[in-house]
Amino acid sequence: MRNSILSALGALALMAAGPADAEEPVTLVAAGSLKTALQEVADTFAAATGVEVTTRFGPSGLMREEIEGGAPAHVFASANLDHPRALAEAGHGGPVVLFARNRLCALARPGLAVRPDTLLDVMLDDATRLGTSTPGADPSGDYAWQLFERADALRPGAGAALDGKARQLTGGPDSPAAPEGRNTYAWVMESDRADLFLTYCTNAVLAAREVPDLQIVAIPDALSVGADYGLLVRDGAPGAATRLALHILSPEGQAVLAAHGFDAPALPKE
């Protein structure tokens, strides 16, 4: 894995070797789960280089569709590898680089009796309103359905039961947006739309900071699903876009991701 990251870094370095164009702004389009971390990375890059960075965050699948439809984007940071690979295969840019990892956690309403060892029972309980993001549009939803498949391997029939009861509350084209300034998952839980919500652990931490009574429940290893995040620079993007991608992959950028709870695979070992 380390070698593949280094190879992609070399390709990006060659792309960035042209003349500096600090006056040309760069557009960064990224997964919503990256908003806090990558906004900080973009701000530090802009301060160091003088390059203006415009950011746009949302469900990765919808962001990919917007890019395919012609929406402006120089750097695309997705919550999975599939969406940037689809863009690369269609000739929209490359290479695709794994730059961060995440995991799913369960976010539980205050007072819900749930522990990691009882999580599957609570999810399957008819009384539990189980919330997820929208598969296809948002990789968080896809990862939730991967968890359902793992549950089915442990307990035959559990996958179909979870598929049938899951409420797709976020990440879709018609999902209601949280009020300005609110964390989406804190707002969903505080609005009493779910008893238990499967989301990235990083999202769960941000939600619990906003609504401290929320519970974060670790998902047991047998059900646990990891998320690989992929980065792509668009063909025809200014050289500053490649330098922004390299900054995300640099020790400084990776340290910011790690500080926000992501596993940063390009971060040097101590």
Side-chain angles (χ1 to χ4, degrees):
M1 181 60 70
R2 184 78 176 174
N3 288 338
S4 64
I5 292 173
L6 290 173
S7 176
L9 279 170
L12 288 172
L14 288 173
M15 293 166 62
D21 48 8
E23 74 285 351
E24 189 168 353
V26 171
T27 300
L28 169 65
V29 175
S33 55
L34 290 162
K35 183 174 183 179
T36 304
L38 280 196
Q39 186 63 62
E40 182 177 336
V41 173
D43 290 344
T44 61
F45 175 80
T49 64
V51 176
E52 179 186 348
V53 181
T54 300
T55 56
R56 189 166 76 253
F57 298 94
S60 297
L62 298 185
M63 297 288 101
R64 188 207 78 207
E65 290 175 2
E66 289 181 5
I67 292 169
E68 291 171 333
H74 295 133
V75 180
F76 177 46
S78 170
N80 68 6
L81 294 170
D82 292 340
H83 294 311
R85 281 174 176 164
L87 290 176
E89 289 168 3
H92 290 286
V96 176
V97 186
L98 187 153
F99 72 99
R101 289 191 175 95
N102 210 341
R103 301 199 74 78
L104 285 188
C105 281
L107 193 59
R109 64 167 172 80
L112 184 67
V114 58
R115 305 184 310 270
D117 61 314
T118 64
L119 179 61
L120 181 54
D121 291 326
V122 174
M123 286 196 299
L124 289 167
D125 191 318
D126 290 340
T128 302
R129 297 167 299 165
L130 177 63
T132 70
S133 196
T134 305
D138 182 1
S140 174
D142 298 320
Y143 294 128
W145 259 257
Q146 289 179 25
L147 186 151
F148 296 167
E149 292 174 5
R150 286 178 173 260
D152 199 68
L154 290 176
R155 193 176 302 180
L162 294 169
D163 175 270
K165 71 178 299 187
R167 302 181 177 194
Q168 299 175 29
L169 300 176
T170 64
D174 301 317
S175 299
E180 185 68 28
R182 290 299 310 273
N183 175 275
T184 296
Y185 308 96
W187 173 70
V188 165
M189 297 301 291
E190 195 172 49
S191 301
D192 194 32
R193 302 178 66 202
D195 300 303
L196 196 68
F197 195 103
L198 297 176
T199 186
Y200 300 121
C201 296
T202 51
N203 285 343
V205 169
L206 292 173
R209 286 177 186 169
E210 191 171 302
V211 182
D213 289 342
L214 292 174
Q215 305 176 71
I216 299 175
V217 184
I219 292 175
D221 289 344
L223 294 174
S224 186
V225 175
D228 291 337
Y229 282 49
L231 182 73
L232 170 140
V233 177
R234 298 287 309 284
D235 284 347
T242 303
R243 290 189 283 278
L244 172 59
L246 287 170
H247 182 66
I248 294 170
L249 288 159
S250 72
E252 181 182 1
Q254 291 283 290
V256 172
L257 286 161
H260 287 278
F262 292 92
D263 175 24
L267 193 65
K269 298 293 185 182
E270 293 293 339

